[in-house]
Amino acid sequence: MTDRNGDDIYGEKHKEANEPIFSGIPTFLKLPEVERDALDEENVDIGILGAPLDTATTIRPGTRYGPRAVRAASTVPSPPYEHFNIETGIDPFDTFSVADTGDAAVSPGDTRQSQLNIEDAVYEISEQATPIVIGGDHSISYPDIKGWAEANGYDDIGLIHFDCHADTGDEGLTGFEYDHGAWVKRVFDDDLMAGENYTLIGPRGFWPGPDTYEEMREADMKWYTSMDVGEMDLDDIVADAVQRATDGTDAVWVSFDVDVMEPAYAPGTGEPEPGGLVPREAIYMVREVVKALDPEDFGFDVVEVSPAYDTSDSSSYNGGVTSGLANRLIIEVMGSMALAEKGLESGDPIKPKEPLGPTEEAETPADD
């Protein structure tokens, strides 16, 4: 990767917002739309894909509108491509050329065919670029991972999974082996991933039951409950998950289900469960996890955004609270990929002249 500036990649659109949010085609961040078979020709490093499937969900539907809502949320405020993060000091668009590749073909009523179409679309992107996929229900992660792994010839992958649920059911929640509660088991049964290379962050509540967790323990899988996240040092959780995911593997996939969040902060999902992560925890862990991984052998999806249940979103014309979080996570992922690409722990954030906290002068009591 050559050292580039966003102006070199995107021209004046890197820093100038050239149209209001209600104008134009709402691609992700209003980035260029590139056909999937032309990513290499257009020198695209990261390909965004929508996977608008929700017929494998088992409770509240609506995630078929997730990709549209996340794209809409990404245009608020009307963005230039420049996204310099004031906390991490990095702009992913100074490093990567990113394009929106549209949506995978979905066949309403034919869940399995839709998943195979998603697999083909991710395969095509992964031959040329790093895939970032916007769901859709969580069943899409199996075809995401399978297409990505096959395109790159990965035999053993690591998986870091943020979720309220383990999704390791033999036949999901209702007897369908490809539903959104069974995709981890499908990846495991295909021998794409060993249990010791899997870490789940944020489970809580009442599903799956003890038998499934016993099987996970026997398979050497590991999990940190939502309460563990609240009580432990986040860096320790990140370090363990990364070490497990990279131990003897070819590549790492990170999957983020928005129901891992406390529903007060992310209500727009089909399976809300009280007691989840808060945004600062989620953003920090995603940043640190991705920063520690090789961006050349990496993939990411964010799933289960269901805008019908979101706040401040009645039409998906400009997104809601939950779709806004998903949008933010994607940008954070790309920023951490850029840091990893440059071999940096942090970028160059702009700091105040004075150190943070009270100054020595302020700490000295005034003379009587």
Side-chain angles (χ1 to χ4, degrees):
M1 182 74 61
T2 58
D3 190 22
R4 296 182 288 182
N5 182 280
D7 292 328
D8 300 331
I9 302 172
Y10 297 105
E12 65 177 13
K13 288 187 176 181
H14 179 242
K15 291 187 178 180
E16 294 183 10
N18 294 309
E19 61 184 12
I21 64 172
F22 49 81
S23 298
I25 304 300
T27 60
F28 184 76
L29 293 176
K30 293 196 175 181
L31 288 162
E33 185 172 7
V34 176
E35 295 291 330
R36 285 192 289 276
D37 61 1
L39 296 177
D40 193 44
E41 178 184 339
E42 297 294 330
N43 295 314
V44 172
D45 303 306
I46 298 172
I48 307 293
L49 175 71
L53 173 70
D54 69 358
T55 53
T57 195
T58 52
I59 305 180
R60 303 194 300 184
T63 58
R64 65 182 64 184
Y65 292 105
R68 181 174 295 181
V70 174
R71 287 184 173 108
S74 78
T75 66
V76 182
S78 182
Y81 302 150
E82 181 184 40
H83 273 72
F84 177 83
N85 189 311
I86 64 170
E87 294 173 317
T88 61
I90 193 73
D91 182 342
F93 299 113
D94 282 343
T95 302
F96 299 122
S97 172
V98 186
D100 194 324
T101 71
D103 289 346
V106 169
S107 301
D110 192 340
T111 300
R112 190 67 190 119
Q113 183 58 55
S114 297
Q115 291 170 341
L116 294 172
N117 294 345
I118 293 166
E119 181 180 326
D120 289 343
V122 175
Y123 183 102
E124 192 168 17
I125 292 171
S126 301
E127 286 186 303
Q128 307 163 82
T130 296
I132 291 180
V133 187
I134 309 169
D137 68 49
H138 217 155
S139 75
I140 71 161
S141 290
Y142 173 53
D144 289 350
I145 290 170
K146 193 171 181 184
W148 165 74
E150 289 184 358
N152 290 286
Y154 300 141
D155 294 320
D156 301 289
I157 66 108
L159 177 57
I160 299 176
H161 175 197
F162 292 84
D163 204 326
C164 175
H165 310 100
D167 293 351
T168 51
D170 285 325
E171 294 184 333
L173 281 79
T174 57
F176 177 47
E177 62 180 331
Y178 295 104
D179 86 12
H180 67 163
W183 67 273
V184 174
K185 190 63 161 56
R186 300 288 78 79
V187 174
F188 181 74
D189 286 349
D190 278 3
D191 292 326
L192 281 169
M193 175 196 73
E196 58 263 30
N197 298 130
Y198 169 83
T199 304
L200 170 64
I201 299 173
R204 59 194 186 279
F206 309 101
W207 188 90
D211 291 346
T212 300
Y213 272 102
E214 288 283 359
E215 292 173 3
M216 291 169 63
R217 183 165 63 180
E218 288 301 311
D220 294 321
M221 295 181 175
K222 193 170 185 179
W223 54 93
Y224 291 90
T225 69
S226 180
M227 290 296 179
D228 293 331
V229 171
E231 294 171 356
M232 293 182 63
D233 187 319
L234 299 183
D235 288 322
D236 290 341
I237 297 174
V238 166
D240 188 32
V242 168
Q243 191 279 325
R244 289 170 54 80
T246 56
D247 186 11
T249 61
D250 303 317
V252 178
W253 189 273
V254 176
S255 186
F256 193 100
D257 186 329
V258 296
D259 73 16
V260 75
M261 305 299 296
E262 164 57 47
Y265 297 104
T269 189
E271 290 76 35
E273 180 70 44
L277 276 57
V278 301
R280 278 192 301 272
E281 293 169 336
I283 289 170
Y284 180 80
M285 285 192 287
V286 166
R287 278 181 187 169
E288 295 302 303
V289 160
V290 178
K291 189 171 68 177
L293 301 175
D294 184 348
E296 298 295 325
D297 296 302
F298 171 75
F300 176 77
D301 59 25
V302 58
V303 300
E304 298 285 355
V305 172
S306 192
Y309 313 111
D310 210 358
T311 52
S312 75
D313 187 337
S314 60
S315 61
S316 291
Y317 289 153
N318 51 20
V321 170
T322 311
S323 51
L325 171 69
N327 158 63
R328 172 67 179 273
L329 289 170
I330 294 171
I331 301 170
E332 293 287 355
V333 163
M334 294 191 296
S336 288
M337 288 175 63
L339 288 172
E341 180 70 28
K342 295 174 180 291
L344 299 174
E345 278 294 310
S346 65
D348 191 17
I350 310 302
K351 298 288 189 180
K353 287 183 178 179
E354 294 184 356
L356 299 180
T359 63
E360 185 174 330
E361 180 179 334
E363 291 175 339
T364 303
D367 293 332
D368 293 331

